[in-house]
Amino acid sequence: MPSDFLEKTLEAIIYENHKAIPGRGLKLKYTHIDRQFALPSGKKIDLLNWQIVDDVLYATIIELKKDQLSESALWQVLGYLDEFTCHSVGRFPDMQIDIMLIGDEFNQNIAQFLQVSAYVSVYTYKYSYDGILFQEIENSLDLMLKINRKIPKPMFEEETITKRLKFQSKLREEAQPLTV
């Protein structure tokens, strides 16, 4: 990655190309995107992807890091989530707000948190001569493989992996959206 590649460069790439970026691996769910969204405290959300449907606010708070995602990025975006939610209560009869973290890699603490959270998605990115590519880290098995953590031997058995993936899929389907 070029040494002059900055977090604001990553933000500009996503914001200016938000309609085409899904073709590069980043799943933006909603029609609108705001850059440097100011919260009442003066803090700014890097990107806010949102849409209002039938008076319900759907939003994804996106936190970008040029380098590794760490627990400080997670705490930062959770603070944004809290303030954004508190500020939005009463303005909409219902809300569904998710978090997306994007960095070039992530540490083990982020991986452990994501194993228990259905409302946080993590993407890694690679920037090279042919542009930017994103990869979503989709489940805890992917996370464990990505961080080169030792996996217990029985997990490599095809039947066990299939059972785990089906179980994780079922949990995601049953997860209720956060409503306030």
Side-chain angles (χ1 to χ4, degrees), residues 69-76 107-110:
L69 293 169
S70 65
E71 50 276 355
S72 65
L74 179 61
W75 287 116
Q76 181 181 357
N107 72 21
Q108 187 170 348
N109 293 334
I110 292 286

Side-chain angles (χ1 to χ4, degrees), residues 5 19 24 30 41-42 51 56 63 82 85 89-90 92 110-111 117 122 131 133 171 179:
F5 188 86
K19 291 182 180 174
R24 305 298 277 175
Y30 309 117
S41 67
Q51 187 170 350
V56 177
E63 178 60 25
D82 183 49
T85 303
V89 166
F92 300 96
I110 292 286
S117 176
V122 169
L133 292 173
L171 285 178
T179 55

Side-chain angles (χ1 to χ4, degrees), residues 21-99:
I21 209 80
R24 305 298 277 175
L26 183 60
K27 298 174 190 168
L28 297 176
K29 297 179 188 177
Y30 309 117
T31 55
H32 305 286
I33 190 162
D34 290 327
R35 185 177 186 185
Q36 293 296 305
F37 182 87
L39 295 167
S41 67
K43 296 176 183 174
K44 294 183 179 177
I45 296 171
D46 290 337
L47 294 167
L48 180 67
N49 181 222
W50 62 277
Q51 187 170 350
I52 299 170
V53 178
D54 298 328
D55 292 328
V56 177
L57 172 64
Y58 297 91
T60 301
I61 296 171
I62 304 171
E63 178 60 25
L64 307 170
K65 294 298 177 196
K66 171 188 162 194
D67 298 314
Q68 183 183 67
L69 293 169
S70 65
E71 50 276 355
S72 65
L74 179 61
W75 287 116
Q76 181 181 357
V77 77
L78 288 173
Y80 294 162
L81 173 66
D82 183 49
E83 187 173 351
F84 182 82
T85 303
C86 289
H87 184 67
S88 301
V89 166
R91 296 172 188 242
F92 300 96
D94 199 5
M95 297 182 290
Q96 180 178 327
I97 305 169
D98 299 321
I99 293 172

